[in-house]
Amino acid sequence: MKKQLLFAFAFFVAIVTHAQFNQHQMPIAYPTDSSIVNEARMIGTPAEFVGGTREFFRFVSKKLKYPKDAKKLGIEGKVSVEFVIDKNGNVLPETVRVVQSLFESCDREAVRVIQLSPRWKPGRLVSGEPSSQKWTMPIIFKL
């Protein structure tokens, strides 16, 4: 049991470390589904945005439109958005939801951008089979 917990913790740290790219300006990706963490010994590779983390950050930067009302009020901060990447690498639009709110219009914009996401490289189990995975993505709003 200790080995499994240690492996799950190491897996989580590796994903968070791999996904960080200037966290003050860009969002960070990490898996959050407890079944993924609890069964980390079965995960071979996590889902990955095609082109890697930097390309994901470019995608978010291009698509994100700062809401006018939030800009006018000087609202800054983070919206954490949870979503599922299916076995084919698609972000399932119906699974996209805010888990940490900032401001209503910022929340809607963060959800909109994640729903626009192109296909990801799906995660795989150790056996090589594609695997659905749940992710949480903080989206940063900074004026």
Side-chain angles (χ1 to χ4, degrees), residues 81-88 90-99 111-112 114-117 132 134-135:
V81 182
E82 181 182 86
F83 57 96
V84 172
I85 301 164
D86 71 11
K87 293 177 182 186
N88 297 315
N90 299 307
V91 171
L92 300 177
E94 67 275 9
T95 67
V96 181
R97 70 182 188 99
V98 173
V99 293
V111 167
R112 184 189 73 81
I114 296 299
Q115 287 176 333
L116 290 175
S117 178
S132 294
K134 187 182 290 185
W135 286 73

Side-chain angles (χ1 to χ4, degrees), residues 8-25:
F9 177 75
F11 175 78
F12 181 75
V13 169
I15 294 298
V16 171
T17 302
H18 171 71
Q20 289 182 341
F21 173 74
N22 195 349
Q23 73 180 38
H24 299 289
Q25 296 176 4

Side-chain angles (χ1 to χ4, degrees), residues 57-98:
F57 296 141
R58 283 189 193 109
F59 165 78
V60 170
S61 295
K62 273 173 77 172
K63 299 295 181 183
L64 192 72
K65 296 176 185 166
Y66 215 106
K68 289 178 183 177
D69 60 342
K71 197 176 207 177
K72 185 177 179 180
L73 294 170
I75 303 291
E76 293 185 329
K78 172 178 73 173
V79 177
S80 293
V81 182
E82 181 182 86
F83 57 96
V84 172
I85 301 164
D86 71 11
K87 293 177 182 186
N88 297 315
N90 299 307
V91 171
L92 300 177
E94 67 275 9
T95 67
V96 181
R97 70 182 188 99
V98 173

Side-chain angles (χ1 to χ4, degrees), residues 21-39:
F21 173 74
N22 195 349
Q23 73 180 38
H24 299 289
Q25 296 176 4
M26 301 292 184
I28 302 167
Y30 51 94
T32 58
D33 189 325
S34 60
S35 66
I36 292 171
V37 174
N38 290 338
E39 298 176 14

